[in-house]
PDB file of all heavy atoms in Angstrom:
ATOM      1  N   GLU A 160     -32.984  -0.236 -23.438  1.00 73.00           N
ATOM      2  CA  GLU A 160     -33.749  -1.010 -22.460  1.00 73.00           C
ATOM      3  C   GLU A 160     -34.313  -0.058 -21.390  1.00 73.00           C
ATOM      4  O   GLU A 160     -33.556   0.529 -20.614  1.00 73.00           O
ATOM      5  CB  GLU A 160     -32.842  -2.069 -21.806  1.00 73.00           C
ATOM      6  CG  GLU A 160     -33.441  -2.789 -20.608  1.00 73.00           C
ATOM      7  CD  GLU A 160     -34.759  -3.452 -20.924  1.00 73.00           C
ATOM      8  OE1 GLU A 160     -34.786  -4.333 -21.819  1.00 73.00           O
ATOM      9  OE2 GLU A 160     -35.768  -3.077 -20.305  1.00 73.00           O
ATOM     10  N   PRO A 161     -35.645   0.109 -21.310  1.00 70.00           N
ATOM     11  CA  PRO A 161     -36.241   1.052 -20.342  1.00 70.00           C
ATOM     12  C   PRO A 161     -35.859   0.750 -18.892  1.00 70.00           C
ATOM     13  O   PRO A 161     -35.663   1.675 -18.098  1.00 70.00           O
ATOM     14  CB  PRO A 161     -37.749   0.881 -20.570  1.00 70.00           C
ATOM     15  CG  PRO A 161     -37.872   0.367 -21.964  1.00 70.00           C
ATOM     16  CD  PRO A 161     -36.671  -0.497 -22.188  1.00 70.00           C
ATOM     17  N   ASN A 162     -35.749  -0.531 -18.531  1.00 71.00           N
ATOM     18  CA  ASN A 162     -35.415  -0.888 -17.153  1.00 71.00           C
ATOM     19  C   ASN A 162     -33.974  -0.562 -16.786  1.00 71.00           C
ATOM     20  O   ASN A 162     -33.578  -0.703 -15.633  1.00 71.00           O
ATOM     21  CB  ASN A 162     -35.680  -2.368 -16.916  1.00 71.00           C
ATOM     22  CG  ASN A 162     -37.160  -2.656 -16.739  1.00 71.00           C
ATOM     23  OD1 ASN A 162     -37.898  -1.847 -16.188  1.00 71.00           O
ATOM     24  ND2 ASN A 162     -37.611  -3.799 -17.226  1.00 71.00           N
ATOM     25  N   HIS A 163     -33.186  -0.147 -17.786  1.00 74.00           N
ATOM     26  CA  HIS A 163     -31.792   0.193 -17.522  1.00 74.00           C
ATOM     27  C   HIS A 163     -31.587   1.686 -17.299  1.00 74.00           C
ATOM     28  O   HIS A 163     -30.457   2.132 -17.078  1.00 74.00           O
ATOM     29  CB  HIS A 163     -30.903  -0.275 -18.682  1.00 74.00           C
ATOM     30  CG  HIS A 163     -30.708  -1.749 -18.723  1.00 74.00           C
ATOM     31  ND1 HIS A 163     -30.027  -2.385 -19.740  1.00 74.00           N
ATOM     32  CD2 HIS A 163     -31.098  -2.739 -17.879  1.00 74.00           C
ATOM     33  CE1 HIS A 163     -30.008  -3.692 -19.529  1.00 74.00           C
ATOM     34  NE2 HIS A 163     -30.663  -3.920 -18.398  1.00 74.00           N
ATOM     35  N   PHE A 164     -32.676   2.469 -17.345  1.00 74.00           N
ATOM     36  CA  PHE A 164     -32.532   3.915 -17.164  1.00 74.00           C
ATOM     37  C   PHE A 164     -31.867   4.243 -15.831  1.00 74.00           C
ATOM     38  O   PHE A 164     -31.003   5.129 -15.759  1.00 74.00           O
ATOM     39  CB  PHE A 164     -33.900   4.607 -17.253  1.00 74.00           C
ATOM     40  CG  PHE A 164     -33.820   6.104 -17.089  1.00 74.00           C
ATOM     41  CD1 PHE A 164     -33.381   6.904 -18.136  1.00 74.00           C
ATOM     42  CD2 PHE A 164     -34.178   6.704 -15.883  1.00 74.00           C
ATOM     43  CE1 PHE A 164     -33.301   8.282 -17.984  1.00 74.00           C
ATOM     44  CE2 PHE A 164     -34.099   8.083 -15.731  1.00 74.00           C
ATOM     45  CZ  PHE A 164     -33.660   8.869 -16.783  1.00 74.00           C
ATOM     46  N   ALA A 165     -32.254   3.526 -14.781  1.00 73.00           N
ATOM     47  CA  ALA A 165     -31.675   3.781 -13.456  1.00 73.00           C
ATOM     48  C   ALA A 165     -30.214   3.364 -13.370  1.00 73.00           C
ATOM     49  O   ALA A 165     -29.514   3.718 -12.415  1.00 73.00           O
ATOM     50  CB  ALA A 165     -32.486   3.051 -12.386  1.00 73.00           C
ATOM     51  N   LEU A 166     -29.733   2.619 -14.368  1.00 77.00           N
ATOM     52  CA  LEU A 166     -28.362   2.100 -14.357  1.00 77.00           C
ATOM     53  C   LEU A 166     -27.455   2.871 -15.316  1.00 77.00           C
ATOM     54  O   LEU A 166     -26.331   2.444 -15.572  1.00 77.00           O
ATOM     55  CB  LEU A 166     -28.360   0.615 -14.745  1.00 77.00           C
ATOM     56  CG  LEU A 166     -29.356  -0.280 -14.003  1.00 77.00           C
ATOM     57  CD1 LEU A 166     -29.252  -1.721 -14.517  1.00 77.00           C
ATOM     58  CD2 LEU A 166     -29.151  -0.234 -12.496  1.00 77.00           C
ATOM     59  N   ARG A 167     -27.919   3.992 -15.825  1.00 84.00           N
ATOM     60  CA  ARG A 167     -27.178   4.691 -16.872  1.00 84.00           C
ATOM     61  C   ARG A 167     -25.841   5.252 -16.391  1.00 84.00           C
ATOM     62  O   ARG A 167     -25.003   5.637 -17.209  1.00 84.00           O
ATOM     63  CB  ARG A 167     -28.037   5.816 -17.462  1.00 84.00           C
ATOM     64  CG  ARG A 167     -28.351   6.934 -16.491  1.00 84.00           C
ATOM     65  CD  ARG A 167     -29.481   7.824 -17.007  1.00 84.00           C
ATOM     66  NE  ARG A 167     -29.770   8.935 -16.110  1.00 84.00           N
ATOM     67  CZ  ARG A 167     -30.502   8.830 -15.011  1.00 84.00           C
ATOM     68  NH1 ARG A 167     -30.985   7.665 -14.648  1.00 84.00           N
ATOM     69  NH2 ARG A 167     -30.727   9.884 -14.250  1.00 84.00           N
ATOM     70  N   LYS A 168     -25.632   5.297 -15.078  1.00 89.00           N
ATOM     71  CA  LYS A 168     -24.356   5.774 -14.538  1.00 89.00           C
ATOM     72  C   LYS A 168     -23.340   4.643 -14.369  1.00 89.00           C
ATOM     73  O   LYS A 168     -22.261   4.854 -13.814  1.00 89.00           O
ATOM     74  CB  LYS A 168     -24.581   6.485 -13.195  1.00 89.00           C
ATOM     75  CG  LYS A 168     -25.326   7.809 -13.317  1.00 89.00           C
ATOM     76  CD  LYS A 168     -24.555   8.816 -14.155  1.00 89.00           C
ATOM     77  CE  LYS A 168     -25.241  10.172 -14.194  1.00 89.00           C
ATOM     78  NZ  LYS A 168     -24.507  11.153 -15.020  1.00 89.00           N
ATOM     79  N   PHE A 169     -23.674   3.443 -14.836  1.00 90.00           N
ATOM     80  CA  PHE A 169     -22.719   2.330 -14.759  1.00 90.00           C
ATOM     81  C   PHE A 169     -21.462   2.676 -15.553  1.00 90.00           C
ATOM     82  O   PHE A 169     -21.535   3.093 -16.719  1.00 90.00           O
ATOM     83  CB  PHE A 169     -23.347   1.058 -15.315  1.00 90.00           C
ATOM     84  CG  PHE A 169     -24.124   0.257 -14.303  1.00 90.00           C
ATOM     85  CD1 PHE A 169     -24.524   0.812 -13.101  1.00 90.00           C
ATOM     86  CD2 PHE A 169     -24.464  -1.063 -14.560  1.00 90.00           C
ATOM     87  CE1 PHE A 169     -25.238   0.067 -12.170  1.00 90.00           C
ATOM     88  CE2 PHE A 169     -25.173  -1.819 -13.642  1.00 90.00           C
ATOM     89  CZ  PHE A 169     -25.565  -1.254 -12.444  1.00 90.00           C
ATOM     90  N   ALA A 170     -20.303   2.484 -14.935  1.00 93.00           N
ATOM     91  CA  ALA A 170     -19.015   2.850 -15.512  1.00 93.00           C
ATOM     92  C   ALA A 170     -18.053   1.666 -15.429  1.00 93.00           C
ATOM     93  O   ALA A 170     -18.450   0.546 -15.090  1.00 93.00           O
ATOM     94  CB  ALA A 170     -18.457   4.072 -14.791  1.00 93.00           C
ATOM     95  N   ASP A 171     -16.798   1.914 -15.743  1.00 95.00           N
ATOM     96  CA  ASP A 171     -15.778   0.862 -15.728  1.00 95.00           C
ATOM     97  C   ASP A 171     -14.606   1.293 -14.847  1.00 95.00           C
ATOM     98  O   ASP A 171     -14.152   2.442 -14.927  1.00 95.00           O
ATOM     99  CB  ASP A 171     -15.253   0.583 -17.138  1.00 95.00           C
ATOM    100  CG  ASP A 171     -16.360   0.248 -18.128  1.00 95.00           C
ATOM    101  OD1 ASP A 171     -17.364  -0.357 -17.693  1.00 95.00           O
ATOM    102  OD2 ASP A 171     -16.225   0.587 -19.312  1.00 95.00           O
ATOM    103  N   GLY A 172     -14.111   0.377 -14.041  1.00 96.00           N
ATOM    104  CA  GLY A 172     -12.967   0.702 -13.204  1.00 96.00           C
ATOM    105  C   GLY A 172     -12.475  -0.505 -12.437  1.00 96.00           C
ATOM    106  O   GLY A 172     -13.077  -1.581 -12.469  1.00 96.00           O
ATOM    107  N   ALA A 173     -11.365  -0.315 -11.742  1.00 97.00           N
ATOM    108  CA  ALA A 173     -10.739  -1.429 -11.021  1.00 97.00           C
ATOM    109  C   ALA A 173      -9.936  -0.893  -9.844  1.00 97.00           C
ATOM    110  O   ALA A 173      -9.549   0.291  -9.813  1.00 97.00           O
ATOM    111  CB  ALA A 173      -9.829  -2.219 -11.960  1.00 97.00           C
ATOM    112  N   VAL A 174      -9.693  -1.775  -8.888  1.00 98.00           N
ATOM    113  CA  VAL A 174      -8.838  -1.460  -7.747  1.00 98.00           C
ATOM    114  C   VAL A 174      -8.106  -2.726  -7.330  1.00 98.00           C
ATOM    115  O   VAL A 174      -8.632  -3.834  -7.463  1.00 98.00           O
ATOM    116  CB  VAL A 174      -9.659  -0.904  -6.552  1.00 98.00           C
ATOM    117  CG1 VAL A 174     -10.701  -1.909  -6.071  1.00 98.00           C
ATOM    118  CG2 VAL A 174      -8.750  -0.498  -5.389  1.00 98.00           C
ATOM    119  N   ALA A 175      -6.885  -2.552  -6.869  1.00 97.00           N
ATOM    120  CA  ALA A 175      -6.123  -3.646  -6.267  1.00 97.00           C
ATOM    121  C   ALA A 175      -5.551  -3.167  -4.942  1.00 97.00           C
ATOM    122  O   ALA A 175      -5.098  -2.020  -4.830  1.00 97.00           O
ATOM    123  CB  ALA A 175      -4.995  -4.115  -7.189  1.00 97.00           C
ATOM    124  N   LEU A 176      -5.622  -4.037  -3.943  1.00 96.00           N
ATOM    125  CA  LEU A 176      -5.085  -3.745  -2.618  1.00 96.00           C
ATOM    126  C   LEU A 176      -4.159  -4.859  -2.187  1.00 96.00           C
ATOM    127  O   LEU A 176      -4.361  -6.027  -2.545  1.00 96.00           O
ATOM    128  CB  LEU A 176      -6.202  -3.643  -1.572  1.00 96.00           C
ATOM    129  CG  LEU A 176      -7.421  -2.774  -1.825  1.00 96.00           C
ATOM    130  CD1 LEU A 176      -8.417  -2.965  -0.691  1.00 96.00           C
ATOM    131  CD2 LEU A 176      -7.021  -1.322  -1.929  1.00 96.00           C
ATOM    132  N   LEU A 177      -3.160  -4.510  -1.387  1.00 95.00           N
ATOM    133  CA  LEU A 177      -2.375  -5.516  -0.682  1.00 95.00           C
ATOM    134  C   LEU A 177      -2.744  -5.420   0.793  1.00 95.00           C
ATOM    135  O   LEU A 177      -2.539  -4.383   1.426  1.00 95.00           O
ATOM    136  CB  LEU A 177      -0.874  -5.283  -0.875  1.00 95.00           C
ATOM    137  CG  LEU A 177      -0.311  -5.677  -2.242  1.00 95.00           C
ATOM    138  CD1 LEU A 177       1.145  -5.261  -2.353  1.00 95.00           C
ATOM    139  CD2 LEU A 177      -0.440  -7.186  -2.475  1.00 95.00           C
ATOM    140  N   VAL A 178      -3.328  -6.492   1.319  1.00 95.00           N
ATOM    141  CA  VAL A 178      -3.742  -6.548   2.715  1.00 95.00           C
ATOM    142  C   VAL A 178      -2.748  -7.399   3.479  1.00 95.00           C
ATOM    143  O   VAL A 178      -2.502  -8.565   3.127  1.00 95.00           O
ATOM    144  CB  VAL A 178      -5.161  -7.136   2.846  1.00 95.00           C
ATOM    145  CG1 VAL A 178      -5.572  -7.221   4.314  1.00 95.00           C
ATOM    146  CG2 VAL A 178      -6.163  -6.296   2.065  1.00 95.00           C
ATOM    147  N   SER A 179      -2.160  -6.832   4.517  1.00 92.00           N
ATOM    148  CA  SER A 179      -1.142  -7.528   5.302  1.00 92.00           C
ATOM    149  C   SER A 179      -1.658  -7.855   6.696  1.00 92.00           C
ATOM    150  O   SER A 179      -2.287  -7.025   7.348  1.00 92.00           O
ATOM    151  CB  SER A 179       0.120  -6.664   5.420  1.00 92.00           C
ATOM    152  OG  SER A 179       1.035  -7.220   6.342  1.00 92.00           O
ATOM    153  N   SER A 180      -1.371  -9.056   7.147  1.00 86.00           N
ATOM    154  CA  SER A 180      -1.751  -9.463   8.508  1.00 86.00           C
ATOM    155  C   SER A 180      -0.635  -9.206   9.503  1.00 86.00           C
ATOM    156  O   SER A 180      -0.760  -9.554  10.677  1.00 86.00           O
ATOM    157  CB  SER A 180      -2.089 -10.956   8.519  1.00 86.00           C
ATOM    158  OG  SER A 180      -0.941 -11.733   8.185  1.00 86.00           O
ATOM    159  N   ASN A 181       0.442  -8.584   9.070  1.00 80.00           N
ATOM    160  CA  ASN A 181       1.625  -8.443   9.915  1.00 80.00           C
ATOM    161  C   ASN A 181       1.734  -7.095  10.611  1.00 80.00           C
ATOM    162  O   ASN A 181       2.796  -6.745  11.134  1.00 80.00           O
ATOM    163  CB  ASN A 181       2.888  -8.680   9.077  1.00 80.00           C
ATOM    164  CG  ASN A 181       2.925 -10.079   8.491  1.00 80.00           C
ATOM    165  OD1 ASN A 181       2.516 -11.038   9.137  1.00 80.00           O
ATOM    166  ND2 ASN A 181       3.395 -10.204   7.262  1.00 80.00           N
ATOM    167  N   GLY A 182       0.641  -6.321  10.589  1.00 67.00           N
ATOM    168  CA  GLY A 182       0.656  -5.047  11.287  1.00 67.00           C
ATOM    169  C   GLY A 182       1.600  -4.026  10.692  1.00 67.00           C
ATOM    170  O   GLY A 182       2.128  -3.170  11.397  1.00 67.00           O
ATOM    171  N   GLU A 183       1.827  -4.105   9.377  1.00 69.00           N
ATOM    172  CA  GLU A 183       2.726  -3.166   8.726  1.00 69.00           C
ATOM    173  C   GLU A 183       2.078  -1.790   8.624  1.00 69.00           C
ATOM    174  O   GLU A 183       0.899  -1.608   8.884  1.00 69.00           O
ATOM    175  CB  GLU A 183       3.086  -3.686   7.331  1.00 69.00           C
ATOM    176  CG  GLU A 183       3.792  -5.031   7.343  1.00 69.00           C
ATOM    177  CD  GLU A 183       4.154  -5.471   5.941  1.00 69.00           C
ATOM    178  OE1 GLU A 183       4.772  -4.677   5.211  1.00 69.00           O
ATOM    179  OE2 GLU A 183       3.831  -6.610   5.580  1.00 69.00           O
ATOM    180  N   THR A 184       2.893  -0.800   8.227  1.00 81.00           N
ATOM    181  CA  THR A 184       2.344   0.534   8.036  1.00 81.00           C
ATOM    182  C   THR A 184       1.339   0.525   6.895  1.00 81.00           C
ATOM    183  O   THR A 184       1.403  -0.292   5.986  1.00 81.00           O
ATOM    184  CB  THR A 184       3.470   1.533   7.727  1.00 81.00           C
ATOM    185  OG1 THR A 184       4.191   1.080   6.568  1.00 81.00           O
ATOM    186  CG2 THR A 184       4.422   1.649   8.899  1.00 81.00           C
ATOM    187  N   GLY A 185       0.414   1.452   6.937  1.00 91.00           N
ATOM    188  CA  GLY A 185      -0.643   1.518   5.942  1.00 91.00           C
ATOM    189  C   GLY A 185      -1.972   1.723   6.638  1.00 91.00           C
ATOM    190  O   GLY A 185      -2.069   1.698   7.875  1.00 91.00           O
ATOM    191  N   HIS A 186      -3.010   1.943   5.873  1.00 95.00           N
ATOM    192  CA  HIS A 186      -4.330   2.144   6.453  1.00 95.00           C
ATOM    193  C   HIS A 186      -4.729   0.922   7.272  1.00 95.00           C
ATOM    194  O   HIS A 186      -4.702  -0.212   6.771  1.00 95.00           O
ATOM    195  CB  HIS A 186      -5.362   2.367   5.350  1.00 95.00           C
ATOM    196  CG  HIS A 186      -5.033   3.500   4.427  1.00 95.00           C
ATOM    197  ND1 HIS A 186      -4.374   4.643   4.831  1.00 95.00           N
ATOM    198  CD2 HIS A 186      -5.280   3.673   3.092  1.00 95.00           C
ATOM    199  CE1 HIS A 186      -4.230   5.463   3.812  1.00 95.00           C
ATOM    200  NE2 HIS A 186      -4.774   4.904   2.748  1.00 95.00           N
TER     201      HIS A 186
END
Side-chain angles (χ1 to χ4, degrees):
E160 170 56 60
N162 283 326
H163 287 175
F164 181 77
L166 311 179
R167 66 195 182 280
K168 291 298 184 181
F169 273 17
D171 305 328
V174 60
L176 310 175
L177 285 174
V178 179
S179 171
S180 64
N181 299 322
E183 299 182 51
T184 57
H186 304 327

